[in-house]
Amino acid sequence: MEAGFSVLGAVEIESDAAATHAKNHPGSHLWETDIRALQASKVRKQLGLAPGELTLLKTCPPCQGFSSLASGKGLTDHERNDLVLHTVRFVRALMPQAVLLENVPGLAKDARLQYVRDSLYSLGYVSMVYRFEASDFAVPQRRRRLIMLAVRGKRRTLPDDIAEIIPDLRGSVSVRAAFSELEDTYRAGDPLNRHRKNSDKVRRRIEAIPVGGGRLDLPEEHQLDCHKRVGTKHATASYGRLKWDSPASTMTTRCTTPACGMFVHPEEHRGITLREAATLQTFPADYDFQGDYGSIERQIGNAVPVRMAHVLGTAVQRTLNL
């Protein structure tokens, strides 16, 4: 919205995420359903759009199946990965001026992406794939992403470097800057101002982690058997403290769970709160999430960082105005 777009509609299968969208975007038409069961022509008609009238179609198919973690463990989920292909049928029905598909860099190695690009070309679109770090877009987080940008009109050209069409971004992307900004917008009674409850054993383990440290710095009595087995080559971010003057690590679906990554507060003996995690995803402090603790944690980790979405939206506007 900050990039000049009005969100006309969204498709979401998870009920809590759908409720979150409805709460924060009351003017948007929401289809709470499996996208595979939703007719693209029905979406166009319910939005009152003629083919070609929509400015931007944004698709965010599940990314876990294309991640390096999944492929390294042989956990490819072909059924979920095939969801990326539904981009084509929605483009065919809506014929938007631009298409923006966001995922993890691993998608570039999958034949499905080339199929989508070839199909869009046959519909009259040119496309380009870009890879970048979210921290390059003023997001206080290291989050490697991939986007495919496609625009209608085969005579159009897209830049080789996405930096040519993004706004000039300045300012700190450190955890310190993000948390300082959160303090300035603190809301008393905010339900997200809570961290995951830990057992006494976990609390003592966190207390033993030095500033800037992680599980590799733990004394013998606080080390987990599973970590002893994997040694120093795997799960190195587990029980890691965020570093004040650096971007945070990637917010995942377990982004407030100390055992699952570098999600321990830089100094305090606790995992980060849900609101702190949302702040690192650049959600505004008044953005409300629906659901229980685990559901909200998952929604935050699955989200596209708000500031990154703003930058990409601006890039689309600039491309269409070239």
Side-chain angles (χ1 to χ4, degrees):
M1 295 177 69
E2 292 180 357
F5 291 97
S6 296
V7 181
L8 300 181
V11 182
E12 176 57 59
I13 190 172
E14 293 192 1
S15 59
D16 287 340
T20 294
H21 179 88
K23 175 75 172 179
N24 293 278
H25 307 279
S28 172
H29 193 115
L30 176 65
W31 290 271
E32 186 181 338
T33 186
D34 187 331
I35 197 168
R36 293 169 293 189
L38 182 62
Q39 293 182 359
S41 58
K42 177 181 178 181
V43 169
R44 178 176 59 78
K45 291 175 182 177
Q46 288 188 319
L47 291 177
L49 295 171
E53 189 176 359
L54 182 67
T55 303
L56 173 64
L57 174 67
K58 176 72 165 63
T59 66
C60 299
C63 64
Q64 287 86 352
F66 299 112
S67 71
S68 57
L69 179 61
S71 60
K73 292 185 176 181
L75 300 176
T76 303
D77 186 337
H78 293 288
E79 186 174 352
R80 292 189 76 200
N81 287 2
D82 282 347
L83 290 172
V84 71
L85 304 178
H86 290 265
T87 299
V88 176
R89 67 183 183 89
F90 273 82
V91 172
R92 187 177 292 115
L94 293 163
M95 294 300 293
Q97 295 177 42
V99 182
L100 193 62
L101 184 153
E102 185 265 351
N103 213 277
V104 294
L107 177 60
K109 302 176 183 178
D110 194 284
R112 294 173 182 84
L113 180 60
Q114 191 59 51
Y115 170 83
V116 171
R117 295 186 68 190
D118 290 344
S119 298
L120 265 57
Y121 184 79
S122 69
L123 292 170
Y125 290 80
V126 294
S127 65
M128 187 69 74
V129 174
Y130 303 103
R131 300 171 183 81
F132 53 85
E133 273 277 0
S135 57
D136 294 336
F137 290 0
V139 175
Q141 181 187 161
R142 292 184 297 275
R143 192 181 186 94
R144 296 177 61 243
R145 309 307 287 176
L146 170 149
I147 65 162
M148 181 206 71
L149 173 59
V151 292
R152 197 176 69 226
K154 290 185 178 179
R155 292 185 177 181
R156 286 184 175 273
T157 58
L158 293 171
D160 293 330
D161 187 347
I162 195 173
E164 297 179 32
I165 53 174
I166 64 172
D168 185 19
L169 301 170
R170 302 184 186 278
S172 175
V173 292
S174 68
V175 171
R176 188 187 303 277
F179 284 9
S180 176
E181 183 178 328
L182 178 59
E183 287 182 7
D184 293 339
T185 55
Y186 177 83
R187 286 195 300 162
D190 181 355
L192 268 65
N193 285 336
R194 53 191 171 122
H195 56 80
R196 186 171 287 281
K197 295 180 180 179
N198 299 309
S199 65
D200 289 341
K201 187 175 183 179
V202 170
R203 179 181 53 78
R204 290 193 296 271
R205 182 177 297 125
I206 292 175
E207 289 174 350
I209 301 170
V211 172
R215 76 163 181 87
L216 298 179
D217 300 297
L218 287 170
E220 179 74 18
E221 65 268 24
H222 290 299
Q223 292 181 21
L224 295 169
D225 290 340
C226 60
H227 289 158
K228 292 177 183 178
R229 288 195 296 271
V230 299
T232 60
K233 293 184 179 181
H234 303 285
T236 55
S238 179
Y239 284 101
R241 287 190 182 274
L242 293 172
K243 296 177 174 57
W244 277 125
D245 298 314
S246 300
S249 57
T250 302
M251 294 292 104
T252 69
T253 57
R254 300 298 300 277
C255 56
T256 70
T257 307
C260 294
M262 195 177 290
F263 305 133
V264 179
H265 188 275
E267 294 181 0
E268 297 178 18
H269 300 317
R270 59 172 176 81
I272 59 175
T273 66
L274 291 169
R275 182 58 70 190
E276 287 167 342
T279 294
L280 294 172
Q281 284 278 58
T282 60
F283 280 98
D286 61 352
Y287 198 92
D288 292 321
F289 290 83
Q290 306 297 300
D292 60 20
Y293 189 101
S295 175
I296 293 173
E297 181 183 42
R298 185 168 58 254
Q299 290 175 57
I300 292 171
N302 275 331
V304 175
V306 175
R307 197 169 295 157
M308 191 177 88
H310 175 201
V311 171
L312 293 176
T314 302
V316 171
Q317 293 278 28
R318 290 183 173 184
T319 301
L320 293 176
N321 291 329
L322 288 177

